[in-house]
Every structure is written in structure tokens, then in C-alpha cells.
Amino acid sequence: MKLVLAIVSGDDSSKVSRALTKANFSVTKLATTGGFLMSGNTTFIVGTDDEKVDDVLDILDKNSKTRKQMVPTSASYGAGMFSSMPIEVQVGGATVFILDVEQFVKL
Ligand code: 2BA
């Protein structure tokens, strides 16, 4: 058995959630925040059989879109002088960790 931890943009969260549930996966959603953008994303926890992990990845791939976003950053020039320089970052898609499950128990 595997545990799939998938971090998905907040914009794609409902779509991913619906698709996983429709495909009969048991899913837990955590409201999380990306450390870089400090914006809301969703972390999905899916416990599933080894042979179904590819189906989970397929669903994540089809339902989370990659897009570019301009993000403001600030640079300090000393003496209280700051300049704001937007940079382009890629957001969306899914960041996925797949872990081996040693034991799965429901009590
Ligand atoms: P955030 O940390 O908010 O990052 C959002 C996007 O900003 C990242 O997309 C990446 O394109 C960019 N980014 C992140 N750190 C950066 C930096 N130091 N400099 C320039 N650009 C940077 P993704 O890589 O697709 O990550 C999406 C979200 O997945 C992240 O949100 C974070 O919540 C999570 N994540 C990504 N890699 C992770 C990891 N190795 N461990 C834990 N969480 C991770």
C-alpha cells in the first residue's frame, strides 16, 4: 500500500477532489499554505493499493493545470529604501510525494 501526498493549488482543489472521489478513492483534504507564495493550497492524502497509484497520478495530472503568475518581491537598498520587483513563477500542477505504508488499520 502507498500513501500519496499531493499539494495542489487552491484553484484546482475542488476539481481534483471531485475526480478522486468519483474514481472511488478515499481522500482527506488539508487546507495548507505554500511557504513561498504564502497562498492557500490543498494537500490531498490518499491511501491506496500500489497498482492504483498511477490512476491517482493520472487524475492529478488531468485536473491540475500549470500556469504562470507574477509575484511581487522586494529588495532592500539600505537606509530604509525598498524596491518592488515582480518575478514570474510557475504555479499550479501538483507536487506529489509517494510513501510506502508499513501498516494500515481502521479501528
Ligand atoms: P509555494 O511554496 O507557495 O510555491 C509556489 C511556487 O513558487 C512553486 O511551485 C515554485 O514554482 C515557486 N517557488 C517556490 N519556492 C521558490 C523559491 N524559493 N524561489 C523561486 N520560486 C519558488 P511548485 O514547485 O509547484 O510548488 C507548489 C507548492 O507545493 C509550494 O507552494 C509548496 O506548498 C509545495 N511544495 C513544493 N515543493 C515542496 C517540497 N519539496 N516540500 C514541501 N512542499 C513543497
XYZ file of all heavy atoms in Angstrom:
839
model
N 0.832 -1.195 0.000
C 0.000 0.000 0.000
C 0.877 1.258 0.000
O 1.983 1.244 0.523
C -0.895 -0.003 1.246
C -1.912 1.096 1.238
S -2.971 1.043 2.684
C -4.333 2.018 2.088
N 0.376 2.320 -0.615
C 1.110 3.588 -0.688
C 0.268 4.724 -0.106
O -0.969 4.657 -0.111
C 1.411 3.957 -2.143
C 2.221 2.933 -2.895
C 3.687 3.025 -2.578
C 4.483 2.120 -3.502
N 5.795 1.801 -2.941
N 0.973 5.746 0.350
C 0.308 6.979 0.766
C 0.738 8.064 -0.204
O 1.934 8.325 -0.366
C 0.726 7.349 2.188
C 0.008 8.554 2.770
C -1.443 8.191 3.076
C 0.674 9.017 4.049
N -0.239 8.643 -0.879
C 0.053 9.719 -1.821
C -0.274 11.048 -1.139
O -1.390 11.250 -0.665
C -0.796 9.578 -3.109
C -0.469 10.705 -4.088
C -0.570 8.221 -3.765
N 0.729 11.914 -1.054
C 0.530 13.268 -0.531
C 0.668 14.206 -1.713
O 1.741 14.290 -2.313
C 1.614 13.632 0.490
C 1.587 12.978 1.865
C 2.765 13.474 2.687
C 0.296 13.307 2.582
N -0.412 14.865 -2.077
C -0.381 15.729 -3.265
C -0.756 17.150 -2.888
O -1.828 17.390 -2.335
C -1.342 15.189 -4.321
N 0.155 18.092 -3.197
C -0.104 19.505 -2.925
C -0.583 20.142 -4.224
O 0.108 20.097 -5.245
C 1.170 20.210 -2.416
C 1.699 19.493 -1.177
C 0.889 21.681 -2.108
C 3.130 19.817 -0.830
N -1.795 20.684 -4.156
C -2.465 21.194 -5.353
C -2.885 22.641 -5.101
O -3.279 22.988 -3.976
C -3.718 20.318 -5.645
C -4.577 20.913 -6.733
C -3.301 18.903 -6.013
N -2.819 23.473 -6.119
C -3.246 24.871 -5.989
C -4.706 24.936 -5.542
O -5.539 24.118 -5.960
C -3.073 25.544 -7.352
O -3.943 26.618 -7.473
N -5.013 25.932 -4.721
C -6.382 26.109 -4.229
C -7.392 26.194 -5.372
O -8.522 25.717 -5.255
N -6.967 26.759 -6.517
C -7.875 26.921 -7.667
C -8.310 25.581 -8.255
O -9.375 25.475 -8.857
C -7.186 27.732 -8.783
C -6.901 29.147 -8.349
O -7.529 29.608 -7.373
O -6.038 29.793 -8.974
N -7.461 24.577 -8.144
C -7.763 23.266 -8.742
C -8.317 22.265 -7.724
O -8.686 21.142 -8.094
C -6.489 22.665 -9.366
C -5.938 23.524 -10.485
O -6.738 24.093 -11.235
O -4.706 23.625 -10.599
N -8.362 22.678 -6.485
C -8.693 21.753 -5.405
C -10.047 21.041 -5.572
O -10.140 19.823 -5.425
C -8.651 22.547 -4.092
O -9.255 21.848 -3.094
N -11.107 21.799 -5.894
C -12.440 21.187 -5.999
C -12.486 20.168 -7.130
O -13.054 19.085 -6.977
C -13.515 22.238 -6.268
O -13.347 23.316 -5.455
N -11.856 20.536 -8.252
C -11.864 19.637 -9.418
C -11.159 18.321 -9.085
O -11.643 17.230 -9.385
C -11.113 20.321 -10.579
C -11.939 20.498 -11.821
C -11.156 21.278 -12.849
C -10.913 20.428 -14.066
N -10.032 21.079 -15.043
N -9.998 18.442 -8.447
C -9.212 17.252 -8.089
C -10.000 16.393 -7.097
O -10.093 15.167 -7.237
C -7.848 17.666 -7.486
C -7.143 16.482 -6.851
C -6.964 18.293 -8.557
N -10.592 17.056 -6.119
C -11.335 16.352 -5.089
C -12.499 15.556 -5.691
O -12.702 14.377 -5.394
C -11.867 17.389 -4.085
O -12.556 16.772 -3.069
N -13.252 16.224 -6.573
C -14.398 15.562 -7.218
C -13.935 14.366 -8.042
O -14.522 13.288 -7.992
C -15.134 16.548 -8.133
C -16.209 17.359 -7.417
C -17.185 17.973 -8.422
N -16.508 18.852 -9.363
C -16.274 20.145 -9.145
N -16.671 20.690 -8.026
N -15.668 20.887 -10.044
N -12.848 14.556 -8.802
C -12.378 13.482 -9.695
C -11.878 12.275 -8.896
O -12.145 11.129 -9.267
C -11.275 14.024 -10.600
N -11.170 12.526 -7.798
C -10.655 11.409 -6.990
C -11.810 10.640 -6.340
O -11.830 9.406 -6.323
C -9.713 11.936 -5.897
C -8.310 12.381 -6.348
C -7.589 13.105 -5.222
C -7.485 11.177 -6.812
N -12.780 11.389 -5.823
C -13.923 10.751 -5.156
C -14.750 9.945 -6.160
O -15.190 8.840 -5.867
C -14.794 11.830 -4.461
O -13.943 12.599 -3.630
C -15.880 11.204 -3.618
N -14.928 10.543 -7.356
C -15.699 9.859 -8.409
C -15.041 8.533 -8.793
O -15.706 7.559 -9.130
C -15.795 10.781 -9.633
C -16.849 10.380 -10.621
C -16.968 11.409 -11.719
C -17.751 10.849 -12.902
N -17.536 11.623 -14.113
N -13.707 8.511 -8.740
C -12.976 7.288 -9.089
C -12.843 6.350 -7.885
O -12.048 5.399 -7.918
C -11.602 7.664 -9.633
N -13.614 6.620 -6.847
C -13.691 5.755 -5.656
C -12.454 5.724 -4.772
O -12.226 4.744 -4.072
C -14.050 4.315 -6.052
C -15.518 4.181 -6.355
O -16.347 4.835 -5.702
N -15.837 3.378 -7.350
N -11.653 6.783 -4.830
C -10.522 6.857 -3.904
C -10.995 7.503 -2.608
O -11.831 8.420 -2.636
C -9.371 7.685 -4.505
C -8.647 6.963 -5.618
C -8.857 7.301 -6.940
C -7.777 5.919 -5.314
C -8.208 6.625 -7.968
C -7.118 5.234 -6.334
C -7.336 5.591 -7.654
N -10.477 7.010 -1.491
C -10.733 7.660 -0.213
C -9.734 8.792 -0.076
O -8.536 8.590 -0.263
C -10.539 6.682 0.949
O -11.553 5.727 0.920
N -10.249 9.965 0.233
C -9.407 11.170 0.206
C -9.592 11.995 1.473
O -10.708 12.147 1.960
C -9.809 12.070 -0.994
C -8.933 13.295 -1.066
C -9.742 11.304 -2.295
N -8.487 12.523 1.992
C -8.557 13.530 3.054
C -7.903 14.795 2.524
O -6.830 14.744 1.921
C -7.814 13.050 4.318
O -8.462 11.883 4.793
C -7.843 14.106 5.414
N -8.594 15.926 2.733
C -8.070 17.212 2.261
C -7.601 18.054 3.442
O -8.315 18.185 4.424
C -9.185 18.001 1.560
C -9.521 17.527 0.178
C -10.812 18.156 -0.313
C -10.691 19.656 -0.539
N -11.932 20.233 -1.116
N -6.415 18.593 3.313
C -5.905 19.511 4.334
C -5.757 20.895 3.706
O -5.227 21.004 2.597
C -4.526 19.067 4.837
C -4.387 17.677 5.456
C -2.926 17.401 5.759
C -5.220 17.586 6.718
N -6.233 21.915 4.398
C -6.029 23.289 3.921
C -4.620 23.700 4.319
O -4.291 23.759 5.500
C -7.051 24.215 4.554
N -3.758 23.923 3.319
C -2.353 24.221 3.604
C -1.943 25.548 2.951
O -2.695 26.117 2.159
C -1.439 23.075 3.118
O -1.827 22.677 1.796
C -1.552 21.867 4.014
N -0.768 25.997 3.273
C -0.268 27.262 2.731
C 1.140 27.066 2.211
O 1.999 26.527 2.931
C -0.242 28.342 3.847
O -1.544 28.436 4.412
C 0.167 29.693 3.298
N 1.386 27.473 0.971
C 2.733 27.369 0.398
C 3.676 28.338 1.083
O 3.317 29.497 1.307
N 4.857 27.874 1.413
C 5.817 28.699 2.127
C 6.349 29.857 1.299
O 6.740 30.893 1.834
N 6.375 29.723 -0.018
C 6.935 30.767 -0.880
C 5.894 31.829 -1.223
O 6.083 33.007 -0.946
C 7.511 30.139 -2.149
C 8.180 31.125 -3.055
C 9.362 31.745 -2.686
C 7.626 31.450 -4.288
C 9.977 32.678 -3.522
C 8.234 32.364 -5.129
C 9.415 32.977 -4.746
N 4.772 31.400 -1.805
C 3.738 32.358 -2.194
C 2.876 32.786 -1.013
O 2.176 33.789 -1.089
C 2.843 31.759 -3.290
C 3.493 31.498 -4.642
C 2.466 30.922 -5.613
C 4.092 32.776 -5.218
N 2.896 31.975 0.052
C 2.061 32.217 1.233
C 0.578 32.280 0.846
O -0.199 33.026 1.440
C 2.465 33.521 1.946
C 3.907 33.539 2.404
S 4.259 32.284 3.628
C 3.605 33.053 5.070
N 0.221 31.525 -0.192
C -1.192 31.498 -0.571
C -1.722 30.085 -0.355
O -0.953 29.124 -0.273
C -1.381 31.943 -2.024
O -0.783 31.023 -2.883
N -3.028 30.009 -0.283
C -3.660 28.736 0.077
C -3.494 27.676 -0.992
O -3.676 27.936 -2.170
N -3.111 26.490 -0.565
C -3.177 25.342 -1.451
C -3.809 24.197 -0.666
O -4.146 24.351 0.501
C -1.810 24.987 -2.081
C -0.690 24.826 -1.088
O -0.925 24.402 0.037
N 0.529 25.161 -1.485
N -4.022 23.085 -1.328
C -4.677 21.956 -0.670
C -3.764 20.748 -0.734
O -3.193 20.460 -1.788
C -6.017 21.628 -1.376
O -6.842 22.790 -1.341
C -6.740 20.478 -0.698
N -3.604 20.081 0.393
C -2.822 18.846 0.398
C -3.794 17.662 0.514
O -4.578 17.585 1.458
C -1.821 18.834 1.563
O -0.942 19.958 1.414
C -0.991 17.550 1.561
N -3.744 16.807 -0.488
C -4.597 15.619 -0.501
C -3.823 14.440 0.073
O -2.655 14.226 -0.272
C -5.018 15.268 -1.936
C -6.014 16.240 -2.514
C -5.581 17.372 -3.179
C -7.374 16.021 -2.387
C -6.490 18.288 -3.698
C -8.298 16.918 -2.908
C -7.852 18.051 -3.566
N -4.473 13.685 0.944
C -3.895 12.443 1.464
C -4.724 11.299 0.885
O -5.938 11.245 1.094
C -3.988 12.383 3.006
C -3.315 13.596 3.634
C -3.386 11.089 3.544
C -3.465 13.631 5.160
N -4.062 10.435 0.143
C -4.778 9.303 -0.457
C -4.021 8.014 -0.141
O -2.873 7.845 -0.556
C -4.877 9.450 -2.006
C -5.731 8.336 -2.592
C -5.417 10.812 -2.401
N -4.641 7.136 0.590
C -4.066 5.812 0.833
C -4.649 4.853 -0.187
O -5.877 4.777 -0.327
N -3.781 4.154 -0.907
C -4.310 3.273 -1.957
C -3.362 2.108 -2.252
O -2.201 2.110 -1.831
C -4.596 4.090 -3.252
O -5.322 3.280 -4.163
C -3.314 4.560 -3.909
N -3.883 1.126 -2.976
C -3.053 -0.021 -3.366
C -1.949 0.428 -4.326
O -2.157 1.354 -5.123
C -3.915 -1.075 -4.070
C -4.969 -1.641 -3.123
O -4.722 -1.672 -1.909
O -6.049 -2.017 -3.618
N -0.831 -0.279 -4.278
C 0.318 0.081 -5.132
C -0.079 0.231 -6.602
O 0.325 1.176 -7.274
C 1.413 -0.990 -5.043
C 2.089 -1.002 -3.685
O 1.440 -0.595 -2.694
O 3.255 -1.404 -3.612
N -0.894 -0.709 -7.080
C -1.219 -0.704 -8.508
C -2.181 0.417 -8.913
O -2.407 0.638 -10.106
C -1.753 -2.081 -8.956
C -2.976 -2.574 -8.226
C -2.645 -3.344 -6.944
O -1.521 -3.199 -6.418
O -3.527 -4.072 -6.468
N -2.739 1.115 -7.916
C -3.662 2.209 -8.267
C -2.999 3.597 -8.188
O -3.638 4.611 -8.470
C -4.872 2.174 -7.338
C -5.781 0.985 -7.617
C -7.071 1.138 -6.863
C -7.982 -0.042 -7.127
N -9.033 -0.141 -6.121
N -1.729 3.621 -7.800
C -1.043 4.912 -7.656
C -1.008 5.656 -8.996
O -1.226 6.877 -9.062
C 0.395 4.713 -7.112
C 1.207 5.994 -7.229
C 0.329 4.276 -5.656
N -0.793 4.930 -10.094
C -0.752 5.580 -11.410
C -2.091 6.229 -11.757
O -2.130 7.268 -12.419
C -0.365 4.558 -12.495
C 1.129 4.251 -12.459
O 1.872 5.042 -11.825
O 1.540 3.237 -13.037
N -3.190 5.606 -11.306
C -4.514 6.201 -11.566
C -4.658 7.527 -10.812
O -5.214 8.494 -11.334
C -5.639 5.243 -11.116
C -5.652 3.968 -11.937
O -5.081 3.977 -13.037
O -6.227 2.957 -11.473
N -4.135 7.552 -9.574
C -4.180 8.797 -8.791
C -3.364 9.877 -9.500
O -3.816 11.014 -9.671
C -3.634 8.570 -7.357
C -3.568 9.890 -6.597
C -4.497 7.572 -6.597
N -2.166 9.510 -9.960
C -1.306 10.478 -10.649
C -1.969 10.994 -11.924
O -1.890 12.183 -12.257
C 0.051 9.848 -10.986
C 0.921 9.462 -9.780
C 2.216 8.816 -10.250
C 1.229 10.672 -8.914
N -2.651 10.118 -12.616
C -3.349 10.476 -13.847
C -4.452 11.510 -13.556
O -4.591 12.515 -14.267
C -3.941 9.193 -14.440
C -4.284 9.357 -15.882
O -3.484 9.990 -16.588
O -5.366 8.897 -16.301
N -5.195 11.262 -12.499
C -6.280 12.180 -12.118
C -5.704 13.538 -11.717
O -6.215 14.591 -12.112
C -7.127 11.572 -10.970
C -7.949 10.409 -11.510
C -8.020 12.619 -10.316
C -8.650 9.588 -10.441
N -4.611 13.506 -10.964
C -3.976 14.766 -10.544
C -3.491 15.538 -11.767
O -3.681 16.750 -11.878
C -2.797 14.482 -9.607
C -3.157 13.954 -8.210
C -1.909 13.434 -7.512
C -3.812 15.049 -7.374
N -2.884 14.827 -12.686
C -2.336 15.443 -13.890
C -3.433 16.091 -14.734
O -3.298 17.215 -15.222
C -1.592 14.366 -14.687
C -0.808 14.956 -15.843
O -0.335 16.091 -15.685
O -0.693 14.301 -16.878
N -4.557 15.372 -14.880
C -5.635 15.875 -15.747
C -6.408 17.024 -15.107
O -7.091 17.771 -15.807
C -6.609 14.736 -16.064
C -6.045 13.778 -17.086
C -7.070 12.757 -17.523
C -6.494 11.860 -18.594
N -6.847 10.454 -18.391
N -6.350 17.144 -13.780
C -7.219 18.117 -13.117
C -6.487 19.266 -12.432
O -7.108 20.085 -11.758
C -8.112 17.409 -12.101
C -9.122 16.518 -12.784
O -10.134 16.990 -13.260
N -8.823 15.219 -12.863
N -5.164 19.325 -12.589
C -4.440 20.464 -12.016
C -3.579 21.099 -13.100
O -2.672 20.468 -13.625
C -3.584 20.027 -10.830
O -2.757 18.950 -11.172
N -3.912 22.312 -13.417
C -3.242 22.991 -14.549
C -2.070 23.854 -14.080
O -2.158 24.560 -13.097
C -4.235 23.900 -15.261
C -5.248 23.143 -16.077
C -5.881 24.090 -17.111
C -7.023 23.422 -17.841
N -8.196 23.247 -16.977
N -1.000 23.812 -14.849
C 0.149 24.668 -14.568
C -0.071 26.024 -15.224
O -0.557 26.096 -16.344
C 1.418 24.036 -15.165
O 1.548 22.733 -14.639
C 2.652 24.827 -14.807
N 0.234 27.101 -14.506
C 0.138 28.439 -15.086
C 1.220 29.337 -14.484
O 1.790 29.022 -13.441
C -1.252 29.033 -14.872
C -1.729 28.917 -13.453
C -3.249 29.067 -13.344
N -3.687 28.594 -12.046
C -4.237 27.417 -11.811
N -4.452 26.575 -12.803
N -4.593 27.042 -10.606
N 1.466 30.444 -15.154
C 2.490 31.380 -14.664
C 1.808 32.497 -13.873
O 0.683 32.882 -14.185
C 3.235 32.027 -15.836
C 3.825 31.002 -16.787
C 5.297 30.866 -16.591
C 5.875 30.023 -17.705
N 6.907 29.158 -17.317
N 2.516 32.987 -12.870
C 1.961 34.078 -12.066
C 3.085 35.044 -11.716
O 4.197 34.625 -11.430
C 1.347 33.472 -10.790
C 0.624 34.466 -9.916
C 0.003 33.778 -8.683
O -0.586 32.710 -8.798
N 0.167 34.373 -7.529
N 2.785 36.339 -11.755
C 3.768 37.337 -11.345
C 3.640 37.538 -9.837
O 2.534 37.707 -9.324
C 3.529 38.673 -12.067
C 3.706 38.613 -13.573
S 5.294 37.967 -14.106
C 6.352 39.371 -13.752
N 4.771 37.478 -9.161
C 4.764 37.604 -7.711
C 5.653 38.777 -7.321
O 6.795 38.872 -7.772
C 5.328 36.319 -7.062
C 5.339 36.429 -5.556
C 4.523 35.122 -7.503
N 5.145 39.691 -6.477
C 5.991 40.802 -6.064
C 7.084 40.346 -5.107
O 6.835 39.517 -4.235
C 5.024 41.765 -5.363
C 3.843 40.954 -5.001
C 3.807 39.739 -5.891
N 8.278 40.799 -5.320
C 9.353 40.559 -4.349
C 9.937 41.919 -4.015
O 9.849 42.847 -4.817
C 10.489 39.697 -4.925
O 11.007 40.347 -6.070
C 10.050 38.301 -5.261
N 10.540 42.064 -2.865
C 11.122 43.364 -2.555
C 12.605 43.215 -2.271
O 13.053 42.213 -1.718
C 10.407 44.003 -1.361
O 10.460 43.139 -0.262
N 13.361 44.192 -2.711
C 14.803 44.208 -2.461
C 15.107 45.434 -1.620
O 14.527 46.505 -1.816
C 15.549 44.286 -3.787
N 16.002 45.265 -0.669
C 16.355 46.396 0.192
C 17.662 47.021 -0.283
O 18.614 46.326 -0.621
C 16.503 45.879 1.630
O 17.111 46.874 2.412
N 17.682 48.358 -0.337
C 18.902 49.071 -0.723
C 19.508 49.802 0.468
O 20.282 50.723 0.320
C 18.586 50.058 -1.855
C 18.142 49.357 -3.100
C 16.802 49.370 -3.465
C 19.043 48.647 -3.884
C 16.378 48.692 -4.602
C 18.624 47.982 -5.014
C 17.295 48.002 -5.376
O 16.877 47.335 -6.491
N 19.128 49.394 1.676
C 19.677 50.026 2.877
C 18.974 51.339 3.174
O 18.220 51.855 2.346
N 19.230 51.872 4.331
C 18.670 53.155 4.781
C 17.167 53.234 4.539
O 16.630 54.281 4.162
C 19.373 54.316 4.088
N 16.470 52.090 4.695
C 15.010 52.084 4.576
C 14.497 52.175 3.154
O 13.328 52.419 2.923
N 15.370 52.004 2.143
C 14.909 52.088 0.749
C 14.610 50.686 0.208
O 15.455 49.790 0.275
C 15.986 52.753 -0.123
C 16.175 54.222 0.195
S 17.582 54.886 -0.676
C 17.074 54.703 -2.357
N 13.411 50.522 -0.304
C 12.998 49.232 -0.844
C 12.523 49.405 -2.286
O 11.992 50.439 -2.654
C 11.850 48.647 -0.018
C 12.284 48.190 1.345
C 12.232 49.071 2.426
C 12.772 46.911 1.564
C 12.642 48.673 3.675
C 13.174 46.508 2.825
C 13.112 47.386 3.882
N 12.733 48.378 -3.082
C 12.193 48.404 -4.441
C 11.406 47.110 -4.650
O 11.820 46.041 -4.202
C 13.344 48.487 -5.428
O 12.915 48.095 -6.695
N 10.271 47.207 -5.323
C 9.469 46.013 -5.573
C 9.727 45.518 -6.989
O 9.599 46.287 -7.949
C 7.996 46.371 -5.388
O 7.223 45.242 -5.648
N 10.149 44.262 -7.106
C 10.436 43.703 -8.428
C 9.630 42.426 -8.615
O 9.926 41.417 -7.963
C 11.924 43.347 -8.541
C 12.839 44.544 -8.455
S 14.552 44.031 -8.578
C 14.719 42.956 -7.188
N 8.597 42.475 -9.463
C 7.822 41.254 -9.668
C 8.635 40.190 -10.406
O 9.402 40.523 -11.307
C 6.624 41.706 -10.501
C 6.888 43.087 -10.918
C 8.143 43.584 -10.264
N 8.497 38.942 -9.992
C 9.142 37.842 -10.728
C 8.062 36.854 -11.156
O 7.002 36.773 -10.528
C 10.209 37.105 -9.886
C 9.600 36.551 -8.585
C 11.415 37.972 -9.598
C 10.438 35.485 -7.941
N 8.340 36.132 -12.233
C 7.373 35.163 -12.731
C 7.663 33.796 -12.125
O 8.799 33.322 -12.176
C 7.457 35.082 -14.252
C 6.319 34.306 -14.864
C 6.405 34.282 -16.383
O 7.346 33.643 -16.903
O 5.557 34.875 -17.038
N 6.631 33.179 -11.522
C 6.810 31.814 -11.008
C 5.739 30.921 -11.625
O 4.672 31.386 -12.010
C 6.707 31.722 -9.462
C 7.853 32.419 -8.779
C 5.381 32.210 -8.949
N 6.061 29.658 -11.704
C 5.096 28.691 -12.221
C 4.258 28.190 -11.053
O 4.810 27.769 -10.035
C 5.848 27.528 -12.855
C 4.928 26.566 -13.584
C 5.735 25.575 -14.395
O 6.470 25.957 -15.294
N 5.607 24.315 -14.067
N 2.948 28.281 -11.168
C 2.072 27.781 -10.104
C 1.133 26.738 -10.683
O 1.032 26.577 -11.894
C 1.253 28.919 -9.433
C 2.163 29.929 -8.762
C 0.358 29.602 -10.444
N 0.432 26.058 -9.792
C -0.500 25.026 -10.236
C 0.221 23.716 -10.434
O 1.350 23.534 -9.988
N -0.421 22.820 -11.141
C 0.131 21.474 -11.242
C 0.016 20.806 -9.880
O -0.676 21.302 -8.986
N 0.693 19.723 -9.695
C 0.636 19.039 -8.404
C 2.045 18.643 -7.986
O 2.848 18.213 -8.822
C -0.250 17.804 -8.489
N 2.354 18.848 -6.719
C 3.622 18.371 -6.152
C 3.280 17.130 -5.353
O 2.481 17.190 -4.414
C 4.238 19.450 -5.241
O 4.468 20.622 -6.018
C 5.551 18.982 -4.639
N 3.864 15.998 -5.739
C 3.393 14.723 -5.188
C 4.506 13.954 -4.491
O 5.605 13.803 -5.030
C 2.805 13.836 -6.315
C 2.169 12.579 -5.739
C 1.790 14.610 -7.142
N 4.228 13.485 -3.294
C 5.134 12.593 -2.562
C 4.421 11.237 -2.456
O 3.240 11.186 -2.124
C 5.400 13.108 -1.146
C 6.033 14.479 -1.116
C 5.249 15.624 -1.108
C 7.413 14.626 -1.091
C 5.823 16.886 -1.076
C 7.991 15.894 -1.056
C 7.200 17.023 -1.046
N 5.151 10.161 -2.740
C 4.559 8.825 -2.627
C 5.355 8.030 -1.602
O 6.565 7.837 -1.761
C 4.548 8.117 -3.998
C 3.740 8.944 -5.003
C 3.962 6.709 -3.879
C 3.929 8.534 -6.447
N 4.669 7.605 -0.555
C 5.350 6.940 0.557
C 4.852 5.498 0.704
O 3.675 5.217 0.466
C 5.060 7.671 1.876
C 5.626 9.066 2.104
C 4.832 10.119 1.353
C 5.551 9.388 3.584
N 5.749 4.622 1.136
C 5.339 3.255 1.461
C 4.587 3.264 2.786
O 4.990 3.932 3.728
C 6.572 2.355 1.599
C 7.158 1.996 0.254
O 6.381 1.796 -0.700
O 8.396 1.938 0.146
N 3.511 2.501 2.849
C 2.742 2.398 4.092
C 3.117 1.087 4.772
O 3.004 0.020 4.180
C 1.224 2.430 3.804
C 0.420 2.156 5.068
C 0.827 3.766 3.203
N 3.587 1.178 6.007
C 4.004 -0.020 6.737
C 2.792 -0.816 7.214
O 2.751 -2.032 7.143
C 4.842 0.409 7.937
C 5.790 -0.667 8.405
C 6.827 -0.072 9.340
O 7.647 0.731 8.871
O 6.781 -0.425 10.519
N 1.802 -0.086 7.696
C 0.611 -0.741 8.233
C -0.586 0.176 8.047
O -0.455 1.401 8.172
C 0.823 -0.993 9.726
C 0.064 -2.171 10.242
C 0.336 -2.399 11.737
O 1.223 -1.764 12.308
N -0.406 -3.272 12.340
N -1.750 -0.407 7.753
C -2.977 0.395 7.618
C -4.039 -0.272 8.481
O -4.373 -1.436 8.261
C -3.399 0.420 6.144
C -4.742 1.062 5.909
C -4.953 2.410 6.167
C -5.805 0.323 5.402
C -6.191 2.995 5.941
C -7.036 0.894 5.155
C -7.232 2.243 5.425
N -4.521 0.432 9.467
C -5.500 -0.138 10.406
C -6.660 0.811 10.549
O -6.481 2.037 10.645
C -4.863 -0.333 11.811
C -5.809 -1.075 12.726
C -3.540 -1.045 11.722
N -7.876 0.272 10.558
C -9.055 1.082 10.896
C -9.640 0.495 12.153
O -9.967 -0.690 12.171
C -10.086 1.012 9.763
C -9.813 1.988 8.658
C -10.984 1.988 7.688
C -10.806 3.054 6.636
N -11.875 3.023 5.653
N -9.763 1.255 13.213
C -10.278 0.729 14.488
C -11.660 1.262 14.784
O -12.042 2.317 14.308
C -9.301 1.110 15.619
C -7.863 0.595 15.444
C -6.960 1.178 16.520
C -7.818 -0.921 15.487
P 4.812 27.572 -2.597
O 5.917 27.348 -1.630
O 3.897 28.718 -2.313
O 5.469 27.726 -4.041
C 4.689 28.096 -5.171
C 5.533 28.099 -6.433
O 6.505 29.132 -6.335
C 6.337 26.806 -6.638
O 5.536 25.881 -7.334
C 7.523 27.289 -7.453
O 7.188 27.395 -8.819
C 7.748 28.688 -6.918
N 8.769 28.725 -5.866
C 8.759 28.079 -4.675
N 9.839 28.368 -3.938
C 10.558 29.240 -4.702
C 11.803 29.947 -4.500
N 12.497 29.792 -3.362
N 12.238 30.755 -5.492
C 11.531 30.918 -6.645
N 10.338 30.298 -6.887
C 9.875 29.477 -5.940
P 5.680 24.324 -7.031
O 7.121 23.905 -7.011
O 4.767 23.617 -7.985
O 5.144 24.118 -5.543
C 3.782 24.279 -5.217
C 3.594 24.131 -3.733
O 3.943 22.793 -3.361
C 4.509 25.013 -2.875
O 3.894 26.286 -2.684
C 4.621 24.229 -1.583
O 3.435 24.416 -0.795
C 4.595 22.790 -2.087
N 5.934 22.210 -2.281
C 6.674 22.232 -3.412
N 7.828 21.558 -3.240
C 7.814 21.116 -1.980
C 8.725 20.355 -1.197
N 9.918 19.910 -1.687
N 8.411 20.072 0.097
C 7.233 20.517 0.612
N 6.301 21.219 -0.084
C 6.600 21.521 -1.356
